[in-house]
């Protein structure tokens, strides 16, 4: 029985021992990470024997992006952190204190008397508004929220100061309030002594005989407006 088997399958039994291997290129079976080795493999192009070998750990972390754990202010440092995708190793880094600053949305404002406008005030985190001042309250005033009120014509300088000592100014120019234009009421056809015209069967009075609505009337009466029996004026000629 043994002789028959060896006769039928001589290559399968002895091929690996006698094959002059021709190896394929190494292929990565799984990648190494910062803390774990990887593995690569190759096979014989003649007998398909396989070999495996380890790839050393890289010791190089695959870091995620930094994210803020604690925000920095003008008086305290902050903290940011990142983690390795593979081994969950973490790193931290201090965020320096913020530099104080103040910025106003406008450096100059023009207003009419009694009008108001609001300044947008920007400053560093941890800071706050200490005072808002005007050098001429009769011209303009300002609140802590940055709301400017124009009082009378002239110029004034607004100064905003933070607790950190930073300050910014805004020039305010106030002009006189525009006077409302006087409207002269028309007196045409409104005087009670104005002559008006009407027909016996009509319901309106007219300012002229030439009104198109009177063209077919044979009988036309006239009088002063105060003596006219008709209650309302014609929409065509008035």
């Amino acid at each position: 029985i043994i002789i028959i088997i060896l006769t039928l399958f001589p290559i399968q039994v002895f091929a690996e021992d006698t094959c002059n291997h021709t190896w394929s290129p190494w292929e990565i079976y799984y990648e190494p990470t910062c803390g774990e080795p990887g593995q690569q493999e190759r096979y014989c192009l003649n007998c398909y024997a396989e070999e495996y070998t380890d790839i050393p750990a890289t010791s190089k972390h695959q870091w995620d992006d930094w994210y803020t754990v604690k925000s920095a202010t003008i008086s305290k440092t902050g903290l940011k952190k990142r983690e390795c995708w593979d081994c969950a190793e973490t790193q931290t880094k201090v965020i320096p204190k913020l530099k104080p600053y103040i910025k106003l949305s406008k450096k100059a404002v023009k207003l009419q008397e009694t009008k108001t406008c609001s300044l947008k005030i920007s400053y560093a985190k941890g800071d706050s508004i200490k005072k808002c001042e005007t050098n001429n309250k009769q011209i303009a005033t300002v609140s802590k929220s940055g709301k400017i009120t124009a009082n009378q014509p002239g110029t004034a300088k607004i100064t905003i100061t933070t607790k950190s000592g930073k300050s910014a100014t805004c020039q305010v120019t106030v002009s006189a309030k525009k006077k409302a234009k006087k409207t002269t009421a028309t007196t045409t056809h409104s005087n009670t002594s104005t002559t008006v015209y009407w027909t016996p069967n009509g319901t309106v009075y007219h300012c002229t005989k030439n009104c198109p609505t009177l063209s077919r009337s044979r009988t036309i009466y006239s009088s002063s407006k105060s003596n006219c029996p008709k209650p309302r004026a014609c929409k065509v000629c008035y």
Side-chain angles (χ1 to χ4, degrees):
I1 295 174
I2 296 174
I3 295 172
I4 293 172
I5 294 174
L6 293 176
T7 304
L8 292 176
F9 306 102
I11 296 176
Q12 292 185 15
V13 175
F14 301 106
E16 189 171 343
D17 294 333
T18 60
C19 179
N20 186 15
H21 297 300
T22 302
W23 294 107
S24 66
W26 285 104
E27 292 184 0
I28 295 177
Y29 191 62
Y30 56 86
E31 296 279 356
T33 65
C34 52
E36 296 291 335
Q39 194 174 70
Q40 59 184 357
E41 64 176 349
R42 67 178 181 176
Y43 62 91
C44 175
L45 300 175
N46 298 325
C47 68
Y48 298 102
E50 295 179 339
E51 280 190 348
Y52 295 89
T53 182
D54 288 339
I55 305 173
T58 62
S59 299
K60 293 182 179 179
H61 295 290
Q62 300 296 319
W63 295 112
D64 194 1
D65 294 332
W66 289 101
Y67 62 92
T68 300
V69 178
K70 184 177 68 173
S71 299
T73 67
I74 61 170
S75 59
K76 295 181 179 180
T77 59
L79 186 69
K80 58 183 179 179
K81 184 178 180 180
R82 67 177 182 177
E83 298 177 356
C84 175
W85 285 92
D86 296 321
C87 67
E89 179 76 16
T90 61
Q91 281 187 341
T92 57
K93 186 180 291 187
V94 173
I95 304 173
K97 294 180 183 179
L98 300 179
K99 292 183 178 180
Y101 74 91
I102 185 172
K103 185 178 180 181
L104 304 182
S105 58
K106 296 178 181 179
K107 293 183 178 181
V109 172
K110 292 183 179 180
L111 293 172
Q112 290 183 12
E113 285 179 286
T114 72
K115 297 295 182 181
T116 63
C117 79
S118 295
L119 291 174
K120 290 183 180 180
I121 309 171
S122 303
Y123 46 84
K125 188 172 183 179
D127 210 347
S128 60
I129 301 298
K130 182 179 181 180
K131 56 184 177 180
C132 299
E133 299 175 303
T134 175
N135 67 344
N136 194 330
K137 292 183 179 181
Q138 292 182 341
I139 304 299
T141 56
V142 61
S143 68
K144 276 198 171 184
S145 63
K147 183 179 179 180
I148 299 173
T149 302
N151 297 324
Q152 67 181 39
T155 58
K157 185 172 74 171
I158 301 296
T159 303
I160 312 293
T161 306
T162 64
K163 286 187 176 181
S164 65
K166 296 294 181 180
S167 62
T169 61
C170 176
Q171 187 76 17
V172 181
T173 303
V174 181
S175 59
K177 187 176 181 180
K178 290 184 178 180
K179 295 181 180 180
K181 292 183 179 179
K182 292 183 179 180
T183 55
T184 305
T186 178
T187 58
T188 306
H189 313 309
S190 61
N191 196 308
T192 55
S193 62
T194 301
T195 301
V196 294
Y197 306 88
W198 74 92
T199 62
N201 297 324
T203 58
V204 298
Y205 58 85
H206 306 266
C207 66
T208 175
K209 285 184 177 182
N210 296 325
C211 179
T213 60
L214 287 174
S215 60
R216 296 183 181 180
S217 301
R218 293 184 178 181
T219 304
I220 299 175
Y221 295 107
S222 65
S223 72
S224 65
K225 185 177 179 181
S226 59
N227 294 325
C228 177
K230 306 301 177 181
R232 57 190 179 86
C234 171
K235 292 183 180 181
V236 178
C237 59
Y238 268 86

